[in-house]
Amino acid sequence: MASKLIQVQSKACEASKFVAKHGTSYYRQLLEKNKHFIQEPATVDKCQELSKQLLYTRLASIPKRYETFWKELDYAKNLWKNRSDLKVEDAGIAVLFGLECFAWYCAGEITGRGFTFTGYYP
């Protein structure tokens, strides 16, 4: 167990050195590549305007999302009605999707507990 801890520490140290060495160049490259998205000057008013644009763009997309939700629900109902025609591959995909949803739920619960498996802190 102690040897594994030493290995993990050495890997973390290597990763930290790599980020320290290459992190700033990656940051500069990323900003240069995406500079057309940067608003100059970055004022409070501009940030508030952008946040309002995002909010109202999201609000405007609600009807389309609502419509898509009902289409997908109708598709699922139709699959359930015709489940005798369902292939094993489709059922397997549905089971894997359900397992993935459950795994994300468990990850969220563990994160909400403060990364403990046994329970919540008082």
Side-chain angles (χ1 to χ4, degrees), residues 2 14 35 44-45 55 59 62 64 68 77 94 106 120-121:
E14 288 176 25
K35 68 181 176 184
V44 173
D45 293 333
L55 171 69
L59 287 175
I62 289 176
K64 182 69 174 166
T68 304
K77 285 180 186 178
C106 291
Y120 294 96
Y121 290 117

Side-chain angles (χ1 to χ4, degrees), residues 50-103:
L50 289 172
S51 69
K52 285 182 183 179
Q53 286 177 347
L54 177 63
L55 171 69
Y56 290 112
T57 301
R58 297 283 184 164
L59 287 175
S61 71
I62 289 176
K64 182 69 174 166
R65 292 180 192 185
Y66 184 77
E67 178 184 324
T68 304
F69 169 75
W70 286 110
K71 282 182 182 178
E72 290 184 15
L73 186 63
D74 288 339
Y75 177 74
K77 285 180 186 178
N78 190 24
L79 275 179
W80 186 253
K81 285 180 188 176
N82 300 325
R83 63 184 175 266
S84 60
D85 300 336
L86 195 63
K87 293 185 277 185
V88 174
E89 293 87 13
D90 295 334
I93 290 171
V95 167
L96 287 175
F97 177 73
L99 286 173
E100 182 182 359
C101 289
F102 181 71

Side-chain angles (χ1 to χ4, degrees), residues 10 21 36 48 74 86 104 114:
S10 67
K21 184 177 181 181
H36 58 278
Q48 287 176 343
D74 288 339
L86 195 63
W104 280 110

